Amino acid sequence: MKLKKLLAAALAAALTLAGCGTTVLSAEETKELLALSQKTMATVESMAAEMTMEMDMSMGEETAETTTVAKILTQQNPLRMQMNLSATLEDGTEAQNMQMYAEEEDGKLRTYVLAANTWYSQTMELGSLAQYNAEENVTLYLSNLADFSATATEKINDIEATKIEGTLKKDVLQKVLAESGMTETAAAMGVTEEQLAALTESVKSLPLTLWIDADGYVLKYEMNLTEVMQKIMDKAMEAADSTDASSAVKVEKTSISMVCSQFNAVKEITIPEEAKNAESISANQ
């Protein structure tokens, strides 16, 4: 049970297609496609996305596997979001289920969350939901991808796309971790931002894969956070004075993928009246 509690703590804060074949575009063609994608994605005003986060761990013979799925609609300028999020353990047990709306107001983000049949509202910073904002993430990733190459062509939602594999540049890792929810995950496990920053310095690379269609739309992206999560877990166990071999936790897999669709085609996102009448809570509650 100890491992499952650790995993649940991480998930509470953090709230594949197989490729094969040789290089399908030259290095220069791949660079041109990434440049096109930056221009294309900059024009996106609304979109739909489905985020899947997989976190698998083991401690001796005990294993814990959790999958979190978020179905998201987003409109930009001003920002408005609608999200349904659910998390399940490997035995099918539901660990989390919530519905959320968010809208930009006076430079802040007003959120409305339905949990346990009750609506709550809260004012947050605009970047607080960055891990669920596919357009914002893609903009960051496209301009900071290194050591990349086109490795295959695959279909995402029946649309042919070029699969580009690379790593994110070291100087943006802190921002990426914050926007992927890993900063909150680390905090929930007793790892401070300063400690996380030090851990990041020792991270060898942060693998990222993008699937981009001929018009430059990013149809899917996938980020491998296994190495980062292992370092966070090691530091958390060290802080808890649990460093003996019998209590060592191995992070088998931590990955986030986002499948994107309905570019510039999402209709008006309407926030329910019962949500707008919700009880307001402070950021510290």
Side-chain angles (χ1 to χ4, degrees):
M1 292 301 294
K2 183 177 179 182
L3 178 60
K4 288 182 171 60
K5 288 181 180 178
L6 284 169
L7 184 58
L11 279 169
L15 294 192
T16 90
L17 294 170
C20 59
T22 57
T23 300
V24 294
L25 295 180
S26 68
E28 187 59 32
E29 289 171 330
T30 304
K31 187 182 297 184
E32 290 174 357
L33 181 58
L34 289 171
L36 171 63
S37 188
Q38 289 187 57
K39 293 179 181 178
T40 299
M41 294 305 296
T43 68
V44 174
E45 296 181 353
S46 69
M47 63 186 293
E50 182 167 314
M51 187 197 82
T52 302
M53 179 178 180
E54 296 179 274
M55 192 179 293
D56 302 345
M57 300 181 186
S58 63
M59 180 190 291
E61 295 183 356
E62 186 180 3
T63 63
E65 300 175 2
T66 304
T67 301
T68 301
V69 177
K71 296 182 179 181
I72 309 156
L73 297 177
T74 307
Q75 294 175 322
Q76 304 290 342
N77 304 316
L79 178 63
R80 183 169 282 206
M81 298 179 71
Q82 176 183 335
M83 179 171 67
N84 292 293
L85 184 147
S86 62
T88 56
L89 303 177
E90 71 270 27
D91 61 0
T93 302
E94 185 176 271
Q96 189 178 34
N97 194 326
M98 74 174 193
Q99 183 178 358
M100 188 197 76
Y101 291 85
E103 60 180 345
E104 185 178 345
E105 290 183 348
D106 301 323
K108 297 285 187 177
L109 197 64
R110 189 69 178 171
T111 62
Y112 306 89
V113 177
L114 177 62
N117 298 316
T118 301
W119 282 101
Y120 300 93
S121 68
Q122 184 178 16
T123 299
M124 308 169 71
E125 296 299 321
L126 268 177
S128 300
L129 297 176
Q131 73 237 56
Y132 303 114
N133 192 332
E135 181 187 356
E136 183 175 323
N137 290 340
V138 163
T139 301
L140 175 66
Y141 300 160
L142 286 170
S143 58
N144 289 285
L145 192 64
D147 304 320
F148 54 81
S149 62
T151 57
T153 56
E154 297 177 350
K155 285 191 175 182
I156 307 294
N157 290 335
D158 294 324
I159 301 173
E160 188 168 285
T162 298
K163 180 180 180 181
I164 299 177
E165 299 180 72
T167 60
L168 285 168
K169 296 176 182 177
K170 292 276 287 186
D171 56 0
V172 298
L173 292 192
Q174 283 297 314
K175 182 175 178 61
V176 170
L177 292 182
E179 295 195 1
S180 63
M182 295 305 288
T183 300
E184 289 79 5
T185 300
M189 299 172 70
V191 178
T192 66
E193 285 192 39
E194 292 75 15
Q195 290 173 323
L196 181 60
L199 293 177
T200 304
E201 288 301 314
S202 64
V203 172
K204 295 178 182 178
S205 66
L206 198 58
L208 175 72
T209 305
L210 300 165
W211 286 260
I212 304 174
D213 73 7
D215 294 320
Y217 288 104
V218 176
L219 304 184
K220 180 181 177 182
Y221 63 83
E222 186 171 88
M223 185 161 48
N224 188 333
L225 293 162
T226 304
E227 182 186 357
V228 174
M229 192 63 204
Q230 182 68 69
K231 290 180 181 295
I232 291 173
M233 184 60 69
D234 291 344
K235 179 60 70 174
M237 298 301 286
E238 179 184 320
D241 197 25
S242 299
T243 56
D244 59 283
S246 63
S247 63
V249 176
K250 182 179 180 182
V251 179
E252 307 288 352
K253 179 181 183 181
T254 301
S255 69
I256 296 176
S257 66
M258 190 84 79
V259 177
C260 307
S261 61
Q262 297 184 49
F263 299 101
N264 298 318
V266 173
K267 305 295 184 181
E268 180 67 21
I269 297 173
T270 303
I271 300 173
E273 282 302 316
E274 58 267 35
K276 289 200 170 186
N277 295 326
E279 175 187 355
S280 182
I281 60 175
S282 70
N284 295 321
Q285 286 182 275

